[in-house]
Amino acid sequence: DAGVIQSPRHEVTEMGQEVTLRCKPISGHNSLFWYRQTMMRGLELLIYFNNNVPIDDSGMPEDRFSAKMPNASFSTLKIQPSEPRDSAVYFCASSLVLAGELFFGEGSRLTVL
Amino acid sequence: GQQLNQSPQSMFIQEGEDVSMNCTSSSIFNTWLWYKQEPGEGPVLLIALYKAGELTSNGRLTAQFGITRKDSFLNISASIPSDVGIYFCAGPNSGGSNYKLTFGKGTLLTVNP
């Protein structure tokens, strides 16, 4: 079975540009998470969707960040405008059971120059 | 908020040696999870613990849920080069938001062949 699929794997962009990261969760999973990983802060939860509905976006750093889940098989995380401090690895994860059994994608490494 | 403290931060060992790492918290956790992240990949769940005192094995890996519910350890026996990676402990936040995982900062394991 396919795991969580993220694209792009790597993105290099210039400050001020719009960035869109994409995620396809595991089929049948009803929860989707976006995490950000940096050396300084480790893994941080940005937003959590349940049954395509955003439940908790308290981890979204600023209004420059937005996330959508138009259907059960697709989600996007958008940064507009991007800034150098947004450089990080962004992970999408999905799960069927709460309390932690997350399946992570391979991540999207974002570099903002 | 809840914090998980992992130790050691990094380990350099020889192939064949046993490894032990642990995770502590000032708060009680009802679930402990151990993830491994290899370079360029997302974290992968190794072991999940759901009951205080529980001891669970997965091949050469053994993890225990501390009886105080404030700690957990992970042991790796007879390490091999492919054990290299970052090992994270994680647990769901208390207070009803059990979808929100707190992650430790990780233990970086290097195995010299």
Side-chain angles (χ1 to χ4, degrees), chain A residues 20-95:
Chain A
T20 299
L21 308 178
R22 299 172 177 79
C23 175
K24 176 179 170 55
I26 292 173
S27 177
H29 283 190
N30 59 1
S31 295
L32 184 139
F33 306 77
W34 282 99
Y35 279 84
R36 178 170 67 177
Q37 185 178 39
T38 60
M39 289 292 292
M40 289 295 294
R41 301 172 70 91
L43 277 161
E44 303 174 278
L45 177 65
L46 300 178
I47 188 167
Y48 157 60
F49 291 87
N50 184 254
N51 292 324
N52 312 340
V53 176
I55 303 299
D56 184 348
D57 64 355
S58 59
M60 297 285 264
E62 302 170 26
D63 291 346
R64 299 184 296 106
F65 285 70
S66 63
K68 294 182 179 180
M69 191 166 186
N71 57 62
S73 59
F74 184 65
S75 177
T76 59
L77 177 68
K78 186 176 292 187
I79 308 172
Q80 165 65 16
S82 59
E83 297 181 3
R85 60 191 168 125
D86 301 331
S87 298
V89 182
Y90 291 82
F91 287 104
C92 177
S94 70
S95 73

